[in-house]
Amino acid sequence: MTAPSAAAGLALVPMTLGDVDAVHALECSVFPHPWSRANFSDSIQAGYDAWLLRSARGELAGYFVLMLVLDEAHLLDVAVAGERHGTGLGLHLLETVCARAKEMGAESVLLEVRPSNERALAVYRRFGFAEIGLRKGYYPAHEGRREDAIVMRHTV
C-alpha cells in the first residue's frame, strides 16, 4: 500500500524524552491545536508505544504514539513532516502502526480525527479505516469553540 520510496532512507526508532522538542516542533508545524510537550513526555513515561521516522542525517520525517487498551490499540497522535505530505509516508506510518498493534496483541486500531482534517481523513479511508462513531465537541477549536471527532477503526 505504501509508495515504494516513501520510507526509503528512513529509520524507525523509539521516541525518547530527548526527542520531545523536535517532535513538538513538528507537531506545531502541522496541527492548529497541537499536543503540548508534556503530552509527549507523559506518553513516553507511561510506556506508550511511541516511534519516530528519521533520515540518516537525523531529520524527523514523522512519528506516532500508540496506546494499548486490552485488545484494542488507540492511535493517539500521528504526523508527517509538511514537506513529506503526499509522498505515501502517512500510509507507511499507518502500516507500521497496525503492525505494532498486532505485535502487542491488539485486534484493531482506533483513532479520532477532526472532520476538518480532510487530508488525514482521506489517508485513513484509503488505508481502510472505517467510520464507527462521532464524539461531539471532542477537540478544541478556534475562539473557544469545540470540534467533533470522527471515530475510526481498522482491524489488524
Side-chain angles (χ1 to χ4, degrees):
M1 189 170 291
T2 298
S5 62
L10 297 176
L12 186 69
V13 296
M15 187 185 301
T16 68
L17 290 173
D19 298 313
V20 168
D21 285 342
V23 170
H24 185 253
L26 193 158
E27 175 90 358
C28 290
S29 75
V30 296
F31 293 119
H33 300 280
W35 270 24
S36 68
R37 284 178 178 82
N39 291 135
F40 290 106
S41 297
D42 292 348
S43 294
I44 293 165
Q45 291 171 331
Y48 296 165
D49 202 51
W51 293 84
L52 310 174
L53 279 177
R54 284 203 182 273
S55 72
R57 295 183 305 269
E59 297 162 332
L60 182 59
Y63 59 86
F64 67 86
V65 179
L66 189 65
M67 175 181 70
L68 184 66
V69 179
L70 301 174
D71 63 350
E72 187 167 72
H74 191 160
L75 181 56
L76 300 175
D77 196 7
V78 61
V80 171
E83 67 274 6
R84 293 182 181 263
H85 286 183
T87 65
L89 197 54
L91 291 172
H92 174 74
L93 277 172
L94 290 176
E95 286 175 352
T96 305
V97 162
C98 288
R100 293 288 308 157
K102 192 170 189 169
E103 287 173 21
M104 295 186 307
E107 295 178 5
S108 63
V109 175
L110 181 76
L111 62 82
E112 292 91 11
V113 60
R114 293 173 184 269
S116 63
N117 192 344
E118 294 174 9
R119 179 185 292 266
L121 272 168
V123 172
Y124 296 142
R125 288 176 178 140
R126 181 173 172 206
F127 190 80
F129 277 83
E131 295 179 27
I132 62 166
L134 188 72
R135 298 193 200 281
K136 298 295 260 177
Y138 185 78
Y139 288 113
H142 296 294
E143 299 176 5
R145 296 183 183 163
R146 306 291 298 177
E147 184 174 2
D148 296 342
I150 296 171
V151 182
M152 303 182 86
R153 176 177 285 138
H154 187 277
T155 302
V156 295

